[in-house]
Amino acid sequence: MRVRALFNRDGGTLRTMDMELLCQRAREVFEAEGHQLECRIISGGKVAEELAAAAAAPDVDAIVAGGGDGTISTAAAIAFESGKPLGVLPAGTMNLFARALGMPPDIDSALVSIARGRVDHVDVATANGRPFVHQFGVGIHARLVRIRNGMAYGSRLGKMLASLRAILAAAVNPPRFEVELRSEKGSVTRIASGIAVSNNPLDDGPVPVAASLNDGLLGVYVAASVTSGELLNLALDVMTGRWRANAVVSEVEVREVMLHFPKRKRGTHAVIDGELIDLERSVTLKVHPAALPVIRSAQSS
């Protein structure tokens, strides 16, 4: 297989690595398994452009993307649209999609898993047509990301500490909004502090990721309007894997859901795979079963 690897030198743990040495190691690993590997080191600003070029190149059979969750989300969207298989090299803080795929957290082990892996197809979701592989969020999550983005941090630990500081800042005045949810299971209007819609239902781990990537369902999680204390308790429950038992959380599994925000204020944001975007008044979220080609470890299901 002819593979092009694109490593974002500005993303996650790659910022502190010898990138030329990483490319050399990647070529050795892939050539040992009978593949041809072209390795390119790119800047964060070139990620989308280089991924699109790889997807369009007739001499590229598959793409390997290395970087944080933002890089991987962009790569997955392009793989979904182009049909070229994607190998995910986990090099970010959380590595959410890589975790769901069952990729080893160690970069060298992940390279070997991809080189020895097989092409599979997993689910991908869209929000008003925009692909995402992990989660779309409104309210609490979007506020946390906005606050954290305004903080300075230079490492994985720094980003985690910034996230904790963001939780404390958000708890001072938790968001509160009205939302109408319409799905095949009916319509309901809620007053909420947060909504998360995941590409497949989440597991119960301290870092919640999809329990499976082939259920053909969205997980829709609503946090009722909360006080500061309730928000802090919810954050603790998320970090300890007990969030499903929290009284403010409700969940439903559907194939498609429309979220309508009748009182949406201008400048309100949503977050999609960790990236802030403008929140539209109505958002239709759909799951696309087995529509994303990926390279999975031979040991993963």
Side-chain angles (χ1 to χ4, degrees), residues 136-156:
F136 173 90
V138 181
I140 296 169
H141 189 188
R143 181 173 294 183
L144 293 178
V145 172
R146 180 177 58 79
I147 294 172
R148 189 188 64 202
N149 285 353
M151 299 177 180
Y153 51 86
S155 65
R156 175 174 180 170

Side-chain angles (χ1 to χ4, degrees), residues 282-301:
S282 294
V283 184
T284 298
L285 299 114
K286 301 178 181 180
V287 66
H288 303 263
L292 175 62
V294 294
I295 301 172
R296 302 190 78 165
S297 167
Q299 285 74 42
S300 64
S301 55

